[in-house]
Amino acid sequence: MESRLQAALEADAIVTTGGVSVGDKDVLVELFRRWDGKVLFNKIAMRPGSVTSLGVWRDKPLFALSGNPGACYVGFELLVHPYLRAVTGSEQPFPAEGTAVLSVDFRKPSAYPRYVRGTTEIVQGTVYVRPAGQDQSSIMVSIKDADCLICLPAGGAGTERGTVVRILHLNTPG
């Protein structure tokens, strides 16, 4: 892994998926313990994707995203995509924010803020949002249908239908 990462250093940034948790095949964790780079963070308080890490190695950012497709997608949209937009001159590198009314109960509590892939719908001038499908890190099908991330606060017993929530619009020009 280390030799492959060294070969990738000719790029402006390095993005990896997987290898950042605590299993036998999670080799990036070991690399972070002994490399000559700087770890900016190793784990982040969010769901999905809490195992996401970020470091700087020989003046290049190394984004180490979760191996679960949904968590990887969220990490990319929250961290990598804004970085790429910023370094390519975007005046608005971060996803546009808004609010919407949650159209279904979301009963999945979380110790961390949760970013749920969602779809929006406008009914009589009001923006409604619902999960794009099953909210599991390993599920990929909801990625293609998502037009936003629903931002749900940490704690509690989930979020009730009718609650006004913050959303981050996806696929917006940057």
Side-chain angles (χ1 to χ4, degrees):
M1 175 59 78
E2 188 171 356
S3 66
R4 289 183 183 253
L5 289 174
Q6 286 177 352
L9 283 172
E10 59 190 66
D12 294 328
I14 302 167
V15 180
T16 66
T17 63
V20 291
S21 193
V22 294
D24 291 341
K25 295 182 180 181
D26 293 317
V27 295
L28 282 173
V29 174
E30 179 57 34
L31 176 64
F32 282 158
R33 287 189 186 121
R34 58 180 174 75
W35 72 335
D36 60 351
K38 179 179 181 181
V39 176
L40 300 178
F41 61 82
N42 180 21
K43 310 286 188 265
I44 187 169
M46 70 179 197
R47 291 277 193 253
S50 62
V51 297
T52 299
S53 300
L54 174 61
V56 177
W57 194 26
R58 302 190 186 143
D59 298 322
K60 309 281 177 93
L62 170 58
F63 295 92
L65 304 177
S66 171
N68 285 317
C72 178
Y73 177 73
V74 169
F76 182 86
E77 290 296 339
L78 293 179
L79 302 168
V80 181
H81 203 181
Y83 171 80
L84 294 174
R85 284 178 167 175
V87 299
T88 56
S90 174
E91 293 183 18
Q92 283 194 306
F94 297 102
E97 292 190 35
T99 58
V101 177
L102 191 61
S103 62
V104 296
D105 287 334
F106 189 87
R107 295 287 177 204
K108 197 171 185 179
S110 176
Y112 303 119
R114 182 175 290 281
Y115 298 89
V116 179
R117 293 155 282 176
T119 57
T120 56
E121 176 184 32
I122 299 173
V123 178
Q124 296 179 351
T126 301
V127 179
Y128 290 90
V129 68
R130 69 181 319 121
Q134 272 190 294
D135 183 57
Q136 293 179 337
S137 301
S138 61
I139 302 290
M140 292 190 299
V141 72
S142 61
I143 293 172
K144 72 175 180 52
D145 297 328
D147 63 8
C148 69
L149 292 176
I150 306 167
C151 308
L152 301 176
T159 306
E160 290 183 12
R161 174 184 178 183
T163 302
V164 175
V165 294
R166 185 170 68 102
I167 59 172
L168 301 175
H169 297 279
L170 301 173
N171 306 316
T172 55

